């Protein structure tokens, strides 16, 4: 009985410290020091909220660079992956279908769906692979396109962590911006 | 693999061990009550906690009382979590008006977080209010980790004490672990994570129109504070459904590196702490060597398989299915081995889509009871049971009565150790066995062929081993599975904790016998090799048949170009 009473008091106290004070202090301090980061690294265009630089979006139009296949079509709440193994019939079919559609030399990240379902990046190869299409639709020069891709590219952290990657949302935003200025 | 990727792996281990050693010493001092200056300003809070809770910190508990305090406290936490989850719609901090959870799912989730498993049959951003995340789950993230750590102190006391019937005070051990170790480390990691883009706020979800004009809803919430302890406490339950693959949880290569490091930090440090506290560091090193050899073996198998055994349709290029680009293949594989070696269970790539033998490596390290570094507390106390078994087998081989650290190991200890090793394994095999012949098991599978078996095997292995990772195509959110997997988590946790505390109690009551020339040395390489042998043999004998039918059969089928 005594143990039960101690347990109740102790749990209550710990819930206040760990379940209220700790997250609230983290929010206040973190929110003050890194307010853009803590609130979701949001992207605004003309004052309108249009996305987060960390969360990928579905791009299907020819004038945009496309992101990776997503098992949940880039919905950000309730996102997920295919979870299919290499012996799943459907995975093989999907990959072959995508390769048929994109072309024989399509890079792996455009053939296989992501883990998060909202992967914001593609590889540098995947960006260059799509250049021709975007160039044709937009009538933009290849040099200009290369510059924009470079601007939207992050290299490996410290030279060895992670992958070289292109942020698709940022690249497409840059594309739109460059052309409204041009017009 | 490119050179940078090899360097990444080497760098990881150099940083890991150079941080874990000083932390281990720190951990040891905190256990002994010799609180280091850096955190001694927290001492008044410690006293205040005792005062308000009515705890007498100088009271010593017998093995049974220690277990009872631990068990009742955990059970209470479990009940409170169930209530919060079921009635979250009536509680504050629920901006999305998320409904209360059904009982089977709440039962499963509450057991899952109490037992440090953090198996998730729900999806965080869909099923949980901010209050549930903070006050139910974040709290259990801390408390289940601290519960595991108390057992290290208990084992040390069992070894160090002579003819004593008490094992220290559960409440004191809990409080010190939480206050001086877990909380400060979590705060530091939280801020680093926020600076990189992990979200931490109480905003409503944001509805927006994407660049192409499609509606998208961005989830929000106090994520960073929970993710920090989720990794440091080897919990692994994601704030969001896809766990550490979700960019708001793990936005950059740096957060990926640090979180992966955080998973193994305390599990490695606790072995150093053990060595320091028993004042025989070489004993701890012998155990660490065994763990490291097993770890690197699993890592090499997993990496080799992922880079070399490809399905025919991949045309020689490593598939990216279920991996996010910023993380990449090598860091995904490293994480998959780290998270299953430790009882963490968070994932940054979908294990179900890894190559079959990489899936096998993950399965196998969970099947051994996660003793390769293992969970916070749990990894070491699990390995301790294997150590006793090894000493016992070595004793049988040379015909001497077995001893460990000056204590005679007798029938009672070995019986208890066997319970702790075999019961979780029984849960895995019986559960998965029933599943493959029952409608409730088969209907949840998302694969035909051998991978279907692997899916259900993975679910019972992950829950019985208190890991929490999943082959996530498997639909575990059904009433039958929620209850069964919940029971597996319960048995996997307490059927190990109980024997460990009882063994410690029984060792503590024994007298210490001096080392002689005939004593089998447990700080030698020979011992490390024997220990590895015992872990592998127990794991292989128990699980080889089912692994053959699952991942190994799938591997062979894949090489033949078969699909199902």
């Amino acid at each position: 009985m005594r143990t039960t009473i101690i347990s109740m008091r102790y749990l209550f106290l710990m819930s206040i410290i760990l379940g209220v004070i700790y997250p609230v202090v983290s929010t206040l301090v973190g929110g003050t020091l890194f307010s853009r980061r803590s609130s979701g690294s949001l992207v605004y265009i003309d004052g309108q909220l249009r996305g987060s630089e960390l969360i990928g979006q579905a791009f299907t139009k020819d004038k945009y660079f496309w992101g990776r296949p997503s098992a949940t079509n880039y919905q950000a709440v309730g996102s997920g992956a295919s979870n299919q193994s290499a012996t799943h019939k459907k995975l093989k079919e999907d990959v072959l279908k995508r390769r048929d559609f994109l072309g024989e030399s399509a890079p792996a990240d455009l053939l296989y769906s992501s883990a998060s379902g909202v992967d914001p990046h593609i590889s540098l190869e995947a960006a260059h692979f799509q250049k021709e299409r975007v160039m044709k639709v937009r009538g933009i020069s290849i040099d200009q396109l290369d510059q924009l891709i470079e601007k939207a590219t992050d290299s490996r952290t410290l030279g060895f962590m992670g992958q070289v990657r292109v942020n698709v949302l940022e690249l497409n935003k840059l594309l739109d911006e460059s052309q409204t200025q041009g017009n | 693999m490119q050179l940078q990727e090899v360097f990444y792996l080497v760098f990881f281990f150099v940083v890991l061990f150079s941080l874990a050693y000083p932390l281990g010493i720190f951990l040891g001092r905190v256990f002994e009550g010799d609180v280091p200056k850096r955190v001694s300003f927290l001492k008044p809070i410690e006293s205040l906690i005792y005062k308000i809770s009515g705890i007498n910190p100088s009271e010593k508990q017998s093995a049974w009382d220690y277990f009872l305090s631990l068990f009742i406290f955990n059970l209470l936490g479990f009940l409170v979590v169930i209530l919060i989850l079921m009635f979250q719609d009536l509680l504050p901090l629920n901006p999305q008006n998320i409904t209360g959870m059904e009982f089977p799912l709440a039962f499963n989730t509450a057991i899952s977080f109490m037992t440090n498993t953090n198996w998730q049959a729900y999806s965080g951003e869909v099923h949980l209010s901010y209050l549930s995340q903070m006050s139910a789950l974040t709290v259990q993230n801390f408390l289940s980790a601290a519960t595991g750590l108390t057992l290290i102190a208990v084992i040390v006391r069992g070894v160090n004490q002579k003819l004593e019937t008490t094992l220290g005070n559960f409440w004191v051990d809990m409080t010190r672990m939480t206050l001086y170790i877990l909380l400060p480390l979590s705060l530091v990691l939280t801020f680093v994570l926020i600076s990189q883009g992990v979200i931490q706020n109480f905003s409503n979800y944001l509805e927006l129109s994407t660049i192409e004009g499609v509606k998208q809803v961005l989830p929000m919430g106090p994520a960073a504070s929970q993710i920090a302890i989720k990794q440091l406490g080897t919990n692994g339950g994601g704030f969001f459904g896809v766990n550490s693959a979700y960019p708001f949880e793990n936005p950059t290569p740096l957060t990926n590196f640090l979180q992966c490091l955080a998973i193994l930090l305390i599990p490695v440090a606790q072995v150093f702490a053990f060595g320091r506290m028993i004042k025989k560091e070489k004993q701890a090193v012998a155990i660490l060597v065994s763990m490291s050899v097993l770890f690197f073996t699993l890592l090499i198998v997993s990496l080799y398989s992922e880079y070399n055994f490809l399905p025919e349709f991949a045309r020689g290029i490593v598939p990216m299915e279920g991996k996010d680009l910023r993380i990449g293949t090598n860091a995904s594989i490293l994480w998959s081995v780290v998270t299953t070696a430790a009882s963490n269970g968070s994932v940054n790539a979908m294990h179900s889509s890894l190559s079959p033998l990489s899936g096998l490596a993950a399965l196998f390290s969970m099947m051994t009871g996660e003793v390769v570094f293992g969970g916070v507390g749990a990894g070491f106390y699990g390995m301790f049971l294997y150590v006793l078994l090894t000493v016992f087998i070595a004793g049988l081989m040379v015909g001497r009565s077995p001893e460990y650290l000056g204590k005679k190991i007798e029938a009672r200890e070995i019986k208890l150790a066997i319970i702790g090793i075999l019961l979780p394994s029984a849960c895995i095999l019986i559960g998965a066995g029933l599943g493959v012949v029952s409608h409730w098991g088969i209907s949840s599978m998302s694969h035909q062929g051998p991978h279907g078996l692997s899916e259900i095997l993975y679910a019972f292995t992950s829950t019985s081993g208190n890991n929490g990772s999943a082959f996530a195509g498997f639909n575990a959110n059904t009433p039958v599975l929620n209850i069964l997997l919940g029971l597996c988590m319960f048995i996997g946790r307490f059927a190990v904790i109980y024997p460990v505390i009882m063994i410690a109690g029984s060792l503590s009551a024994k007298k210490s016998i001096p080392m002689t020339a005939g004593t089998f040395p447990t700080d030698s390489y020979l011992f490390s090799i024997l220990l590895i042998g015992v872990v592998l043999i127990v794991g292989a004998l128990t699980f080889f048949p089912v692994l053959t039918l699952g991942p190994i059969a799938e591997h062979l089928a894949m090489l033949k170009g078969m699909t199902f």
Side-chain angles (χ1 to χ4, degrees), chain B residues 24-101:
Chain B
I25 293 180
F26 191 91
L27 198 65
R29 285 182 62 185
V30 171
F31 265 131
E32 289 164 345
D34 169 25
V35 177
K37 265 216 181 94
R38 217 162 301 163
V39 288
S40 60
F41 68 96
L42 291 167
K43 267 189 164 169
I45 302 182
E46 187 190 342
S47 320
L48 197 69
I49 291 174
Y50 298 150
K51 214 185 215 172
I52 299 178
S53 315
I55 294 162
N56 173 8
S58 53
E59 185 187 322
K60 299 246 169 79
Q61 295 174 306
S62 69
W64 174 249
D65 286 340
Y66 199 103
F67 174 75
L68 209 62
S69 295
L70 182 152
F71 190 65
I72 290 178
F73 176 63
N74 272 266
L75 224 51
L76 190 74
F78 160 73
L79 290 176
V80 170
V81 173
I82 283 203
L83 290 178
I84 294 180
L85 294 178
M86 287 181 74
F87 297 103
Q88 59 182 355
D89 49 333
L90 309 175
L91 295 167
L93 284 180
N94 184 5
Q96 298 314 117
N97 297 317
I98 290 167
T99 54
M101 245 187 210

Side-chain angles (χ1 to χ4, degrees), chain A residues 84-96:
Chain A
Q84 283 157 357
S85 87
T87 58
H88 200 299
K89 217 187 285 170
K90 181 85 173 26
L91 178 65
K92 184 178 175 183
E93 279 170 22
D94 284 347
V95 172
L96 295 181

Side-chain angles (χ1 to χ4, degrees), chain A:
Chain A
M1 196 56 216
R2 187 172 152 249
T3 311
T4 314
I5 292 171
I6 291 179
S7 294
M8 284 161 117
R9 288 186 183 170
Y10 191 78
L11 182 62
F12 179 75
L13 209 58
M14 283 305 194
S15 300
I16 300 289
I17 297 174
L18 306 170
V20 180
I21 298 177
Y22 163 66
V24 169
V25 167
S26 300
T27 310
L28 291 177
V29 179
T32 315
L33 293 177
F34 315 103
S35 70
R36 187 177 127 70
R37 290 289 174 204
S38 67
S39 51
S41 310
L42 302 174
V43 174
Y44 291 88
I45 298 174
D46 301 329
Q48 292 258 322
L49 175 64
R50 300 306 291 276
S52 159
E53 67 180 67
L54 298 177
I55 304 292
Q57 300 185 349
F59 287 101
T60 52
K61 294 182 180 155
D62 283 349
K63 64 172 179 169
Y64 288 121
F65 283 87
W66 301 333
R68 298 189 52 195
S70 158
T72 46
N73 200 24
Y74 285 94
Q75 69 176 33
V77 172
S79 75
S82 76
N83 285 303
Q84 283 157 357
S85 87
T87 58
H88 200 299
K89 217 187 285 170
K90 181 85 173 26
L91 178 65
K92 184 178 175 183
E93 279 170 22
D94 284 347
V95 172
L96 295 181
K97 228 185 282 170
R98 287 174 196 139
R99 195 185 278 132
D100 269 355
F101 178 70
L102 293 169
E104 287 296 303
S105 54
D109 53 317
L110 293 180
L111 295 178
Y112 298 93
S113 68
S114 61
S116 61
V118 289
D119 192 342
H121 298 110
I122 52 175
S123 65
L124 205 52
E125 299 78 61
H128 287 294
F129 178 77
Q130 300 182 51
K131 260 189 335 198
E132 210 176 287
R133 182 191 73 236
V134 176
M135 210 165 66
K136 263 189 206 149
V137 179
R138 294 204 176 235
I140 191 172
S141 79
I142 198 150
D143 288 345
Q144 216 181 342
L145 215 44
D146 281 339
Q147 274 175 17
L148 295 181
I149 291 176
E150 206 191 310
K151 245 180 155 176
T153 302
D154 281 317
S155 51
R156 293 173 193 259
T157 309
L158 302 176
F160 66 92
M161 281 182 195
Q163 304 293 318
V164 181
R165 59 207 185 274
V166 181
N167 188 307
V168 182
L169 175 59
E170 195 187 335
L171 176 57
N172 286 331
K173 187 180 151 223
L174 288 172
L175 260 176
D176 278 350
E177 281 170 4
S178 76
Q179 297 216 307
T180 41
Q181 280 163 13
N183 291 343

Side-chain angles (χ1 to χ4, degrees), chain B residues 356-357 360 450 454 544 546-558:
Chain B
L357 295 187
L360 181 136
S454 300
F544 188 69
V546 71
L547 288 173
T548 313
L549 296 173
I552 294 175
E554 191 192 5
H555 169 74
L556 298 172
M558 181 187 79

